[in-house]
Amino acid sequence: MMFGGSGSSQPIMVLNANTKRDQGKKAQFSNVYAAKTIADTIRTCLGPRAMLKMVLDPMGGIVLTNDGNAILREIQVQHPAGKSMIEISRTQDEEVGDGTTSVIILAGELLAQTEQYLQQGLHATVIIRAYRKALEDCIDIMKTKASIPVDIKNRNEMLRVVKSCIGTKYLSRWSDLACQISLDAVQTIMIDENGRREIDIKRYARFEKIPGGSVEDSYLLKGTMLNKDVVHPKMKRRIENPRIVLLDCSLEYKKGESQTSLEFSGEPDFTRMLQLEEESIREMCQDIIAVKPNVVVTEKGISDVAAHYLAAAGISAVRRTKKSDNNRISRATGATIV
């Protein structure tokens, strides 16, 4: 905060006790040093002969990886320039998904090269302007000389592209399998509508890890998978070509939002109340049974009474699925969540 009274021309800085404040050249060199340090941390993770880093995460688990972003995610950095370096790798991971390590090492090297010019007394804006020009040249060369067009329809070409990403990862010895699975997965969730192509990996592609077995057992499931059991033991577990109802409401009587008070005047009233609860659930279930589905999936709860009615009608029900899972089922089946 800055206070300047009418009499005092000097601003007074009120800062935290252990705050360091650098200005001018010192700050520039400290930024360069921070960037170099972070680049050096993951320098050995680059390329096909990369070494793995063993990182302890805050929960005490051990991560073995040579993915730059995964390592930097776990590192606690105080320096502001160091923090923005880590942001670079996060952005690269979200936008491209590969090259997280290269981006950091490149940025670190570019900053390291500026050190000698700063010592010679060149102004920072001059250096940045030169880097801007260099960037334009790089993009030109990339477009004209260094890149080759890729045919998306050609599976072998696409596999080569994916393989170049996986080649540097820990998965490289199963790269054929991994490439096939990843390519199939992307093609499964791709939608082509009126010339608009949409691939939403975050929402529609999902990894389900199941303990036991080896990497070779992994495969792609063209559909959705929930690790859930049916609500009632009498419900069918295998249904082919089902009619599916997706709900995001609960199949149980509605409890009052705030404190609800009930007053009973006679003994039979209590039984009558329980009956009313059952009847309201029965009505809900009958509305569902009228549609003649085989499977009901809901994001909320299903009470025992509702489970009984559904099981009697030969309907299998699954409760408390995640919203994201429900979206996936609706995408796979074309059903609308009600």
Side-chain angles (χ1 to χ4, degrees):
M1 290 157 72
M2 295 181 72
F3 301 104
S6 53
S8 70
S9 59
Q10 186 69 34
I12 306 160
M13 307 291 286
V14 185
L15 291 168
N16 195 337
N18 51 11
T19 305
K20 258 175 51 185
R21 186 155 179 256
D22 288 340
Q23 276 171 309
K25 283 269 183 286
K26 196 175 172 198
Q28 289 173 347
F29 284 122
S30 118
N31 285 351
V32 170
Y33 179 70
K36 266 162 67 176
T37 313
I38 286 186
D40 286 339
T41 315
I42 58 170
R43 193 178 292 274
T44 52
C45 298
L46 188 66
R49 293 177 177 269
M51 293 193 279
L52 295 172
K53 289 260 179 289
M54 193 184 267
V55 188
L56 265 173
D57 63 8
M59 304 295 291
I62 292 179
V63 186
L64 255 182
T65 176
N66 63 358
D67 175 19
N69 185 42
I71 297 165
L72 294 176
R73 258 203 315 249
E74 305 292 350
I75 294 178
Q76 308 283 311
V77 177
Q78 294 298 323
H79 197 286
K83 276 190 181 146
S84 55
M85 286 283 284
I86 292 176
E87 284 300 314
I88 303 176
S89 97
R90 185 171 302 147
T91 315
Q92 176 77 5
D93 190 50
E94 279 170 14
E95 293 296 323
V96 185
D98 189 41
T100 47
T101 315
S102 327
V103 160
I104 297 289
I105 293 174
L106 256 173
E109 280 303 312
L110 288 176
L111 275 168
Q113 294 301 318
T114 57
E115 207 167 1
Q116 52 181 0
Y117 299 115
L118 286 172
Q119 278 164 351
Q120 287 167 18
L122 260 161
H123 198 278
T125 49
V126 179
I127 298 174
I128 292 168
R129 204 176 306 138
Y131 269 148
R132 287 256 159 83
K133 276 191 178 154
L135 175 66
E136 283 165 17
D137 289 348
C138 284
I139 294 174
D140 267 356
I141 292 172
M142 280 293 184
K143 280 182 178 161
T144 52
K145 296 179 183 167
S147 58
I148 50 167
V150 175
D151 175 20
I152 306 180
K153 301 275 191 302
N154 184 343
R155 192 177 169 89
N156 289 343
E157 268 188 49
M158 291 308 288
L159 280 174
R160 271 170 49 206
V161 173
V162 181
K163 208 169 204 162
S164 70
C165 296
I166 292 182
T168 56
K169 302 281 181 285
Y170 193 49
L171 240 145
S172 53
R173 61 181 98 146
W174 297 284
S175 65
D176 286 341
L177 176 74
C179 293
Q180 303 277 0
I181 289 181
S182 47
L183 193 56
D184 288 340
V186 171
Q187 281 168 346
T188 305
I189 60 171
M190 182 174 75
I191 290 184
D192 243 336
E193 286 174 348
N194 328 326
R196 183 178 139 275
R197 180 170 289 170
E198 181 200 276
I199 299 175
D200 193 340
I201 299 177
K202 274 222 165 82
R203 280 171 58 197
Y204 296 117
R206 165 158 180 238
F207 294 91
E208 188 74 58
K209 301 190 182 89
I210 299 171
S214 63
V215 179
E216 285 92 10
D217 296 342
S218 311
Y219 66 96
L220 174 78
L221 182 75
K222 291 195 178 178
T224 50
M225 174 175 172
L226 309 173
N227 199 353
K228 294 262 178 212
D229 202 358
V230 286
V231 196
H232 194 281
K234 285 202 174 128
M235 290 178 174
K236 274 196 218 148
R237 286 220 165 78
R238 181 182 176 85
I239 301 168
E240 291 187 13
N241 294 340
R243 279 166 68 92
I244 299 180
V245 169
L246 299 179
L247 303 173
D248 62 356
C249 56
S250 53
L251 296 182
E252 40 199 2
Y253 65 91
K254 208 163 172 77
K255 302 177 180 73
E257 287 290 329
S258 53
Q259 289 177 329
T260 317
S261 61
L262 298 165
E263 286 183 24
F264 301 124
S265 52
E267 195 183 325
D269 292 359
F270 191 70
T271 349
R272 179 77 191 115
M273 186 198 79
L274 292 174
Q275 265 175 342
L276 284 170
E277 280 178 8
E278 269 191 39
E279 276 166 28
S280 77
I281 291 175
R282 188 195 296 136
E283 276 171 24
M284 272 186 204
C285 292
Q286 267 159 355
D287 288 346
I288 290 174
I289 293 166
V291 191
K292 297 203 175 75
N294 307 96
V295 182
V296 171
V297 179
T298 174
E299 291 169 32
K300 306 266 171 40
I302 296 178
S303 66
D304 294 349
V305 184
H308 165 77
Y309 285 127
L310 293 175
I315 297 172
S316 301
V318 177
R319 66 178 165 197
R320 297 205 173 88
T321 54
K322 288 187 192 139
K323 178 117 200 118
S324 53
D325 285 338
N326 219 6
N327 282 339
R328 285 194 198 98
I329 300 175
S330 96
R331 176 80 173 259
T333 56
T336 312
I337 301 174
V338 195

